[in-house]
Amino acid sequence: RSELGWVAMEFSRRRRRTARVESAANAVKKLQSEYPHALQFYDTPPLDDLSLEDFRQFAADRYEVLSRISNAKASFGRDGDKLKEAVKDVTSKRLSLNTRSIIKEEDIMATSRIQVPGMDLEEAQERVAKEMFEERRKDHVSHFILRLAFCRTDELRRWFVENE
């Protein structure tokens, strides 16, 4: 604990990685290894290269989600069906978060047949796995962008943690 009253966070080091995935099998393996769960603990910062436009868009989308969550809590209270619906609506639109918690190859196969009819099965699996990887990557990266942006004051930190 520092004299300012905040706790410094330690992160483990990871090798630099690129977000590109080549084949269906590699796409599934990469998804399972990098982001096996939709729920993340954000203990490791992203080490990806990110364009300035993606940085801006990821931050804007996540900020929109958090501010709508904050407004929904003010309007509907902390629990209730309306709050759940508002959160689900904004997260699906702005962060495109998939609600599945654990990714298995069978899930991707089933999802690819439903979401991409008429496409070759392997191609559909690769596409679905890549989309899910990008959704979770955006969630991961955007969390750390706003975490950095909201660390300036205690009030901003409280707002971020409360709505995150």
Side-chain angles (χ1 to χ4, degrees):
R1 193 167 185 118
S2 75
E3 56 191 66
L4 297 175
W6 53 275
V7 177
M9 301 192 86
E10 302 255 340
F11 300 106
S12 63
R13 293 192 178 256
R14 290 190 319 184
R15 289 188 345 239
R16 188 173 217 51
R17 62 180 167 80
T18 59
R20 299 185 190 226
V21 184
E22 288 79 33
S23 70
N26 288 343
V28 172
K29 286 178 185 171
K30 186 162 183 79
L31 180 62
Q32 289 172 329
S33 69
E34 296 287 333
Y35 303 115
H37 304 280
L39 177 64
Q40 297 185 46
F41 292 108
Y42 307 112
D43 58 346
T44 307
L47 300 174
D48 296 346
D49 291 333
L50 191 64
S51 71
L52 188 57
E53 179 58 30
D54 283 347
F55 185 93
R56 187 199 65 73
Q57 188 62 52
F58 287 9
D61 287 347
R62 189 163 200 110
Y63 179 72
E64 176 73 21
V65 168
L66 295 182
S67 60
R68 287 202 185 169
I69 288 171
S70 179
N71 292 340
K73 285 192 302 190
S75 299
F76 307 125
R78 291 201 179 265
D79 34 46
D81 293 333
K82 289 182 179 180
L83 179 60
K84 288 179 188 176
E85 190 60 37
V87 169
K88 184 178 178 182
D89 182 49
V90 72
T91 55
S92 67
K93 286 180 183 173
R94 296 296 285 202
L95 292 180
S96 304
L97 288 177
N98 201 309
T99 57
R100 282 192 249 15
S101 60
I102 299 174
I103 299 306
K104 300 176 190 154
E105 289 184 55
E106 308 88 61
D107 293 339
I108 291 175
M109 288 174 64
T111 305
S112 63
R113 287 187 185 126
I114 294 167
Q115 291 184 346
V116 196
M119 188 180 280
D120 175 81
L121 181 60
E122 185 173 326
E123 190 178 355
Q125 290 170 345
E126 179 181 356
R127 180 175 172 181
V128 170
K130 284 181 178 182
E131 287 173 3
M132 293 174 79
F133 178 85
E134 287 303 319
E135 290 170 3
R136 291 179 182 189
R137 176 179 172 262
K138 181 178 182 180
D139 175 53
H140 183 227
V141 171
S142 66
H143 168 85
F144 279 94
I145 293 171
L146 286 195
R147 187 170 168 174
L148 180 63
F150 281 83
C151 72
R152 292 176 292 163
T153 67
D154 285 339
E155 184 179 337
L156 288 172
R157 278 191 295 274
R158 269 193 297 278
W159 184 88
F160 176 73
V161 168
E162 183 179 310
N163 293 296
E164 185 64 32

